[in-house]
Amino acid sequence: MTTHDYTVGATPPFGAPRVGVPASASTSTSAPVPTPGVDRVPSPGGIPGGTQGGTPGGAPAGAPAGVPSAGAGTKKPGRDRYLDLLRSIALVRVVVYHLFGWAWLTILFPSMGVMFALAGSLMARSLKRPAWGVIRGRVRRLLPPLWVFSAVMLTLLFAGGWDLSKDPDHGGTWGLIEMVNYVIPLGAPPFPWSIGSKSGLLENTWAVQSAGPLWYLRAYLWFVIASPLLLWAFRRAPWPTLLAPLALTAVVGTGVVNIPGETGNAVTDFAVFGGCWVLGFAHHEGVLAKVPRYLAISCSALLMAFGLWWASGHLGPDGWDLNDIPLAQATWSFGFVVILLQYAPSWQELPGRLAKWDKLVTLSNNRAVTIYLWHNMLIMATVPIIDLAYSLPFMEGEGATSILDTTYNLWMFVLVWPLIALAILCVGWVEDLAAQRRPRLWPDGAKRGSARSRRK
């Protein structure tokens, strides 16, 4: 799950060609800037709030139904580091996909399905408390980071000359109403498909690319709102509730029923990733743990094989990119998530060699919204920075210029991570305020306070 293949306003349907990011027109060269993909990405309990616990109850994965875990009831409360690790991998994969646009990454690791499943597991755990308070808390954690991003986005748009009243796609009263989505992401916010010029500091489709991740926040918000009802249905009829989104995808994601505009995009997103969200419920409630592992893995493999078979006959403009093929995305992501959750070890700490990544995993989970919201804009920000290299004296030769041209994407990949780190330092603390915590600049889990106390 992209930052979407479509963007706000005049949005093509799911599966329409994505708008790429052409090369920034440098005065010294026309470097081959990549076309960032639009992955169904993102946060972005899954994204707001990090991963807390989320361990399934009952039997361990693969054990027969009714056989309790040997450690049942003894596990200490805290973060489930396995789920934290999955979220970190998903975020990195999203950034890499949006930078290089490699279609095979959507098959290798369906990040958005994984992120929605983790968010669903966390939501099921939270709904042990009154539903209204849980929804209010989730929304509170989501909105302030969005407001900061929207303020920067709108400032750049208006400074670039965008006039909403003259926009052919968003003019009039309805355009003003759509602006509310920059504050509360119930729908798609308006923005121009082209602003500025290709020879400017940022090329003319920067708004489309920057706003791409906002689709995930909309989907996440609607899943949060629907969760009390979905969990109620799941507890009464688990398998029909679990499989219903796949059936809905077969209807709205294959053209059997065509819902136009942003409403159609929203319904398709809800259907495609609804199964993964409910899988998060199944993981937390222990339903997956009661299914024999051989049966869960076999059925998942068959479902994933169907997804690839369907994709082979419905390839989109980017070939095997599952973001363009809703039914393939839904079935492949569903099967992939089942396998990940069947093998979920519920780590209290990262084991073995994974332990060296502990601080980065902690940081990425504590700043997941920030990373997701800003990464596309920061990918584009690498272009004018790298273009400065063409003005260096030793770059006058044709050979040096050719080397930079052929390694341009690699330099973008190297440069985007320091920019993401800078964004974490500058605006990441807003996530702490949204969660009603003390603001932290670099929340990687290091116990800096105790270290200072020892020095004293």
Side-chain angles (χ1 to χ4, degrees):
M1 273 178 26
T2 119
T3 0
H4 234 229
D5 290 351
Y6 61 83
T7 44
V8 181
T11 304
F14 190 119
R18 293 191 301 274
V19 178
V21 176
S24 172
S26 168
T27 55
S28 56
T29 186
S30 55
V33 181
T35 301
V38 188
D39 182 36
R40 292 193 170 282
V41 340
S43 186
I47 292 211
T51 328
Q52 296 291 337
T55 27
V67 178
S69 171
T74 63
K75 183 178 181 297
K76 297 179 181 179
R79 298 184 71 95
D80 187 327
R81 300 302 279 166
Y82 175 71
L83 300 187
D84 283 353
L85 178 64
L86 290 181
R87 180 174 291 106
S88 297
I89 294 172
L91 285 170
V92 171
R93 205 284 280 160
V94 163
V95 175
V96 173
Y97 171 80
H98 288 168
L99 202 161
F100 294 99
W102 293 328
W104 54 266
L105 285 174
T106 63
I107 298 175
L108 179 66
F109 195 87
S111 286
M112 301 319 296
V114 171
M115 292 170 72
F116 278 119
L118 301 182
S121 179
L122 179 61
M123 193 67 186
R125 172 179 172 169
S126 298
L127 283 173
K128 294 176 182 177
R129 306 191 303 271
W132 171 243
V134 173
I135 293 174
R136 183 175 57 188
R138 289 289 179 273
V139 173
R140 187 192 66 237
R141 292 185 178 195
L142 181 69
L143 295 186
L146 171 64
W147 295 340
V148 174
F149 177 83
S150 296
V152 173
M153 179 82 177
L154 290 173
T155 298
L156 292 175
L157 286 175
F158 293 138
W162 183 49
D163 187 343
L164 179 64
S165 63
K166 297 180 181 179
D167 191 306
D169 297 315
H170 307 289
T173 304
W174 185 247
L176 292 174
I177 294 175
E178 287 180 320
M179 290 291 287
V180 174
N181 292 308
Y182 278 109
V183 180
I184 304 176
L186 294 172
F191 55 81
W193 281 83
S194 177
I195 184 170
S197 65
K198 292 184 178 180
S199 60
L201 184 63
L202 293 175
E203 52 78 41
N204 62 335
T205 64
W206 70 264
V208 175
Q209 299 298 331
S210 296
L214 297 179
W215 78 269
Y216 176 85
L217 273 66
R218 175 186 66 188
Y220 174 84
L221 180 59
W222 281 111
F223 276 127
V224 166
I225 293 172
S227 282
L229 179 60
L230 286 175
L231 187 57
W232 176 87
F234 176 79
R235 286 171 174 168
R236 284 154 182 79
W239 296 110
T241 306
L242 190 59
L243 299 176
L246 295 179
L248 181 60
T249 304
V251 175
V252 301
T254 61
V256 174
V257 173
N258 184 32
I259 305 174
E262 282 299 326
T263 300
N265 291 328
V267 171
T268 301
D269 290 338
F270 196 93
V272 168
F273 300 106
C276 293
W277 187 275
V278 180
L279 274 175
F281 293 174
H283 172 64
H284 179 267
E285 299 285 296
V287 173
L288 284 182
K290 296 176 182 178
V291 180
R293 179 173 290 177
Y294 76 89
L295 181 60
I297 302 304
S298 299
C299 292
S300 295
L302 289 174
L303 189 62
M304 295 167 71
F306 169 81
L308 292 182
W309 171 79
W310 181 266
S312 68
H314 300 81
L315 299 180
D318 296 306
W320 285 86
D321 193 322
L322 299 187
N323 291 314
D324 300 326
I325 315 167
L327 186 57
Q329 174 77 288
T331 51
W332 180 265
S333 297
F334 188 97
F336 196 95
V337 167
V338 168
I339 293 173
L340 287 179
L341 296 183
Q342 271 285 331
Y343 284 92
S346 298
W347 293 323
Q348 293 270 291
E349 297 177 354
L350 293 178
R353 295 181 180 180
L354 291 175
K356 66 182 180 180
W357 301 100
D358 184 81
K359 290 183 179 179
L360 287 178
V361 170
T362 300
L363 177 67
S364 61
N365 275 265
N366 283 325
R367 293 294 178 259
V369 181
T370 300
I371 295 170
Y372 179 79
L373 272 177
W374 292 89
H375 75 276
N376 250 18
M377 186 180 289
L378 297 176
I379 286 173
M380 288 181 293
T382 64
V383 174
I385 296 174
I386 297 173
D387 280 354
L388 294 174
Y390 289 101
S391 301
L392 296 175
F394 62 83
M395 292 296 295
E396 294 179 359
E398 184 175 334
T401 300
S402 177
I403 291 174
L404 183 55
D405 287 348
T406 56
T407 60
Y408 205 99
N409 288 28
L410 179 61
W411 288 111
M412 291 180 73
F413 176 78
V414 170
L415 188 56
V416 73
W417 300 109
L419 293 181
I420 289 175
L422 183 61
I424 289 173
L425 290 171
C426 292
V427 300
W429 52 269
V430 176
E431 291 193 55
D432 290 327
L433 294 181
Q436 298 182 336
R437 292 190 297 256
R438 177 179 58 82
R440 300 164 293 171
L441 288 179
W442 196 256
D444 62 355
K447 298 179 180 179
R448 298 179 179 85
S450 59
R452 285 195 297 269
S453 298
R454 288 194 297 270
R455 286 196 297 270
K456 291 179 180 179

